[in-house]
């Protein structure tokens, strides 16, 4: 019986969803598998915002055979008209007998309504199979859809003694090729990459994705309070992706005009000399930027952490020690008075990336 293989089919649906990570913008990644009489008759993945959802693709493949079938889907089928029609109606019209859902949709426009609609039509619905895996896969979407704030992942590379460069500023390369390849995958999986102006002035990076497979270049976000970004910087001239500069209210209007004419978007945040980062996150969320990979220097990392704006931390640590009284560190901010106030990482994981160590976790704010 199919019920004995529910986990197998849901795992397959999750694998399908994972393949589209980085392609769906502010939409979730979703996979769907349609099964009848122990045979897979349809599979689908949500590939791009504004196009058919996973259920639509899978049911189109199944055709008339979908009648009486079981539909496995990693996220609750939508019940509202958005850029596409509601998926629950597509399942109802296909006359599926049973739907297995990994997790409910946190979108307030759905939030259980899709499941209720299916049950109204007499379709058997089971919810919660491999729920944790599905929620983890869509952690960026889950935050953005409920708060309209971007999900921020901090990625940094450091030595064992916590240095992100030598005392001369040299940082090529702290980590090895395996870690660097993973970083390009991370760039593909986020809608934007954010750095401070110091990084731009020092390295003139393109901030693009050079993954092993073709990837979508992220939006480039530069925190540049005084609008020091040169008009000949590669993020201005290469035309590979959108570039946004976050500036203070007091930055020179003439420099804003020059950058705007060069195709850069300038967003002023706060009333003071520095960019107000919380306001910046709100404004970026309004632009429908749902996820950001923060690759800042110590000061920007520290300011974002101190403001409680980082959702996930990934530190790639090389087994090297470089020392230096003036070598920059991973986080530079005033710091806490007591160890009991330190920010800890929840659900921390330690994995290898080639010869380097990746420590990841979710910062817990507000410790005593």
């Amino acid at each position: 019986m199919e019920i004995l293989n529910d986990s197998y089919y849901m795992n397959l649906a999750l694998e399908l969803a994972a393949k589209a990570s980085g392609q769906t913008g502010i939409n979730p990644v979703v996979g769907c598998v349609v099964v009848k009489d122990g045979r897979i008759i349809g599979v689908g993945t949500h590939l791009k915002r504004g196009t058919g959802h996973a259920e639509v693709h899978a049911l189109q493949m199944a055709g008339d055979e979908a009648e009486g079938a079981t539909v496995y889907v990693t996220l609750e089928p939508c019940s509202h008209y958005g850029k596409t029609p509601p998926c629950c109606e597509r399942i109802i019209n296909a006359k599926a007998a049973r739907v297995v859902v990994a997790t409910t949709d946190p979108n307030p426009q759905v939030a259980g309504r899709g499941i209720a609609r299916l049950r109204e039509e007499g379709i058997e619905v089971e919810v919660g199979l491999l729920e944790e895996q599905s929620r983890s896969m869509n952690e960026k979407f889950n935050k953005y859809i409920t708060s309209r704030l971007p999900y921020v992942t901090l990625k940094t590379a450091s030595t064992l003694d916590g240095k992100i460069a030598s005392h001369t500023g040299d940082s090529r390369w702290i980590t090895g090729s395996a870690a660097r390849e993973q970083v390009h995958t991370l760039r593909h999986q986020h809608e934007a990459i954010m750095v401070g102006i110091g990084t731009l002035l020092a390295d003139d990076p393109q901030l693009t994705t050079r993954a092993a497979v073709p990837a979508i270049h992220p939006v480039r976000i530069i925190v540049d309070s005084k609008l020091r970004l040169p008009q000949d910087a590669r993020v201005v001239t290469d035309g590979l992706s959108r570039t946004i500069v976050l500036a203070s209210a007091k930055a020179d209007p003439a420099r804003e005009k020059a950058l705007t004419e060069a195709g850069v978007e300038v967003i002023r945040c706060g009333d003071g000399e520095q960019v107000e980062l919380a306001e910046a996150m709100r404004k970026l969320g309004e632009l429908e930027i749902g996820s950001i990979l923060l690759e800042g220097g110590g000061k920007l990392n520290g300011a974002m952490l101190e403001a409680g704006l980082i959702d996930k931390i990934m530190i790639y640590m090389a087994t090297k020690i470089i020392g230096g009284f003036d070598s920059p560190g991973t986080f530079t901010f005033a710091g806490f008075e007591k160890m009991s106030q330190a920010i800890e990482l929840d659900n921390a994981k330690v994995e290898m990336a080639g010869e380097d160590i990746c420590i990841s976790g979710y910062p817990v704010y507000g410790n005593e």
Side-chain angles (χ1 to χ4, degrees):
M1 292 180 63
E2 288 172 12
I3 192 168
L4 299 178
N5 298 307
D6 282 349
S7 293
Y8 172 83
Y9 294 125
M10 187 61 79
N11 266 312
L12 177 56
L14 287 165
E15 289 175 12
L16 289 167
K19 300 297 184 184
S21 179
Q23 295 188 181
T24 58
I26 58 171
N27 279 13
V29 290
V30 184
C32 180
V33 176
V34 184
V35 180
K36 187 175 183 180
D37 298 329
R39 183 169 62 92
I40 296 172
I41 58 174
V43 295
T45 307
H46 179 44
L47 298 173
K48 182 181 178 183
R49 186 185 181 203
T51 63
H53 290 184
E55 301 95 314
V56 173
H57 293 305
L59 289 169
Q60 283 177 342
M61 184 182 293
D64 293 340
E65 287 190 84
E67 182 174 352
T70 296
V71 177
Y72 297 86
V73 62
T74 59
L75 186 69
E76 176 183 4
C78 62
S79 56
H80 66 292
Y81 283 87
K83 292 183 178 292
T84 58
C87 290
C88 62
E89 298 302 327
R90 183 69 178 81
I91 294 171
I92 291 166
N93 293 336
K95 299 181 181 179
R98 177 170 173 254
V99 178
V100 181
V101 179
T103 186
T104 54
D105 190 336
N107 184 346
Q109 291 182 294
V110 185
R113 293 182 181 88
I115 291 168
R117 175 75 183 110
L118 293 172
R119 286 173 171 160
E120 282 176 7
E121 295 296 323
I123 296 175
E124 179 186 350
V125 182
E126 298 179 26
V127 184
L129 179 64
L130 303 183
E131 180 175 11
E132 184 178 342
Q133 292 92 319
S134 178
R135 286 193 175 277
S136 176
M137 184 178 293
N138 278 311
E139 58 189 5
K140 304 179 193 71
F141 165 76
N142 294 340
K143 179 186 178 180
Y144 180 77
I145 202 65
T146 55
S147 68
R148 295 294 167 179
L149 295 172
Y151 185 99
V152 179
T153 303
L154 178 141
K155 187 285 308 178
T156 190
S158 77
T159 59
L160 282 177
D161 50 340
K163 307 298 184 181
I164 60 175
S166 72
H167 68 89
T168 65
D170 179 48
S171 61
R172 290 178 181 264
W173 294 104
I174 293 175
T175 54
S177 58
R180 296 199 299 274
E181 186 173 333
Q182 286 187 18
V183 170
H184 284 292
T185 299
L186 282 172
R187 288 184 177 184
H188 172 60
Q189 293 172 344
H190 290 75
E191 292 177 72
I193 178 172
M194 187 166 80
V195 301
I197 186 59
T199 297
L200 259 295
L201 295 177
D203 301 329
D204 191 24
Q206 286 184 288
L207 303 178
T208 52
T209 299
R210 295 183 291 280
V213 296
I216 300 170
H217 293 309
V219 176
R220 286 86 66 98
I221 301 172
I222 318 301
V223 181
D224 183 11
S225 296
K226 298 180 181 179
L227 290 177
R228 294 187 290 155
L229 179 64
Q231 293 178 52
D232 61 354
R234 292 197 290 177
V235 295
V236 178
T237 62
D238 64 16
L240 293 175
S241 184
R242 179 181 178 189
T243 297
I244 298 173
V245 172
L246 305 177
S248 72
K250 298 185 178 180
D252 186 353
R255 295 196 62 82
E256 177 179 357
K257 183 174 184 295
L259 286 170
T260 300
E261 290 175 350
V264 174
E265 299 173 53
V266 177
I267 302 175
R268 293 180 182 262
C269 307
D271 299 323
E273 299 282 351
Q274 301 296 318
V275 169
E276 210 290 304
L277 293 170
E279 181 179 335
M281 293 302 106
R282 290 193 295 272
K283 290 186 174 181
L284 291 170
E286 290 169 2
L287 293 177
E288 295 192 335
I289 294 175
S291 60
I292 295 171
L293 183 65
L294 174 61
E295 293 195 55
K299 289 183 180 179
L300 180 56
N301 291 348
M304 288 287 288
L305 188 72
E306 197 171 25
L309 298 174
I310 296 172
D311 297 288
K312 185 175 184 178
I313 290 175
M314 300 183 70
I315 299 177
Y316 287 88
M317 186 172 291
T319 53
K320 303 173 183 177
I321 298 171
I322 197 167
F325 293 112
D326 300 320
S327 299
T330 307
F331 297 97
T332 303
F333 63 109
F336 304 106
E337 294 182 358
K338 295 183 286 186
M339 192 59 68
S340 60
Q341 297 171 309
I343 294 172
E344 299 181 11
L345 294 187
D346 187 32
N347 196 26
K349 295 180 181 178
V350 179
E351 301 172 296
M352 297 302 297
E355 296 181 353
D356 303 310
I357 303 162
C358 180
I359 301 172
S360 64
Y362 303 87
V364 179
Y365 298 102
N367 289 343
E368 167 47 43

